[in-house]
Amino acid sequence: DTGVSQDPRHKITKRGQNVTFRCDPISEHNRLYWYRQTLGQGPEFLTYFQNEAQLEKSRLLSDRFSAERPKGSFSTLEIQRTEQGDSAMYLCASSPTMYSYEQYFGPGTRLTVT
Amino acid sequence: DAKTTQPTSMDCAEGRAANLPCNHSTISGNEYVYWYRQIHSQGPQYIIHGLKNNETNEMASLIITEDRKSSTLILPHATLRDTAVYYCIVMPGENAGNMLTFGGGTRLMVKP
């Protein structure tokens, strides 16, 4: 068990460009979550998946954001037409099932939009 | 979900107990108290959770008042590696199936 991994760890992009982040959850974890964390704040929920189904999306997830988990394993989070306000740490977490009491977080992807 | 209130920051001497308070005065009967922490440049890490009884594990102890309106996370012998932001979260049910709602947390600085 190598834990939740995220790639890349850091991304610098220019405003208006598209970016995609990847999250690999712990093997056989059914639930996968995305959070966003800006400097000095606690993480904010974005969306989560049960296997390949996206079950809930936050109002923070504007139309420029899309998340997928096509085979119920890894997940991608894409941001189109990035804005400076998208600069944040994007965190992924997984849990074995909906009945598990612990979410396991990855190290995050830090996005800087210039 | 009930809101939580935590002090913004606290200091603790290395080797001493760190007692981190959390107020959750509007907690409802089916809501559990969870604690996570986030060490600098890492993702949050689960510590402990409880409903109304005190709980202890290898990392910490959780003391919940009888009226459940507040709780205290206790790190019995704080080390420098315990320096982190500690989040108190209230969530319905004893499962992580739902989203976690983080507040501002308490920044604990353990000093030598």
Side-chain angles (χ1 to χ4, degrees):
Chain A
D1 185 348
T2 58
V4 177
S5 61
Q6 293 188 244
D7 184 70
R9 294 293 307 277
H10 303 274
K11 177 72 176 178
I12 300 174
T13 190
K14 293 185 177 180
R15 188 175 53 188
Q17 298 295 304
N18 299 341
V19 294
T20 300
F21 310 140
R22 177 179 170 124
C23 170
D24 285 89
I26 294 172
S27 178
E28 300 185 354
H29 277 198
N30 293 331
R31 284 262 168 141
L32 186 147
Y33 310 79
W34 285 99
Y35 294 82
R36 182 175 72 183
Q37 185 174 26
T38 53
L39 204 59
Q41 305 296 315
E44 297 172 292
F45 168 79
L46 292 178
T47 187
Y48 79 87
F49 293 82
Q50 172 73 28
N51 297 315
E52 65 275 10
Q54 189 173 16
L55 296 186
E56 189 168 345
K57 294 192 291 186
S58 162
R59 286 172 292 179
L60 293 174
L61 213 64
S62 74
D63 292 344
R64 297 184 297 106
F65 288 69
S66 63
E68 294 183 344
R69 195 182 183 197
K71 297 183 179 179
S73 56
F74 73 91
S75 175
T76 59
L77 178 68
E78 180 183 15
I79 308 174
Q80 296 182 327
R81 305 180 303 281
T82 52
E83 302 172 355
Q84 287 188 320
D86 297 330
S87 295
M89 176 76 82
Y90 290 84
L91 293 160
C92 176
S94 69
S95 65
T97 71
M98 61 180 291
Y99 302 108
S100 307
Y101 58 77
E102 180 176 352
Q103 291 187 19
Y104 299 81
F105 282 81
T109 294
R110 179 164 295 285
L111 172 67
T112 301
V113 181
T114 61
Chain B
D1 290 347
K3 289 187 176 180
T4 62
T5 304
Q6 300 178 251
T8 303
S9 64
M10 293 181 63
D11 290 343
C12 177
E14 188 178 18
R16 304 297 293 270
N19 297 282
L20 292 92
C22 179
N23 285 323
H24 31 79
S25 58
T26 59
I27 193 170
S28 58
N30 68 336
E31 289 182 317
Y32 284 71
V33 180
Y34 284 76
W35 284 82
Y36 277 75
R37 74 178 182 183
Q38 188 172 24
I39 295 170
H40 182 63
S41 296
Q42 297 183 21
Q45 175 191 24
Y46 166 85
I47 301 173
I48 199 167
H49 75 284
L51 180 63
K52 54 182 179 181
N53 297 322
N54 297 338
E55 302 287 345
T56 296
N57 63 20
E58 65 278 4
M59 288 184 68
S61 294
L62 174 60
I63 309 298
I64 302 174
T65 58
E66 192 170 342
D67 64 8
R68 302 207 325 120
K69 293 184 177 182
S70 65
S71 61
T72 301
L73 178 75
I74 301 173
L75 308 178
H77 305 287
T79 71
L80 299 179
R81 289 173 294 183
D82 292 321
T83 292
V85 178
Y86 288 77
Y87 296 101
C88 171
I89 300 167
V90 171
M91 192 161 65
E94 190 181 15
N95 68 77
N98 297 321
M99 61 185 184
L100 296 171
T101 303
F102 292 85
T106 295
R107 186 172 299 276
L108 176 69
M109 179 74 71
V110 180
K111 299 183 174 181

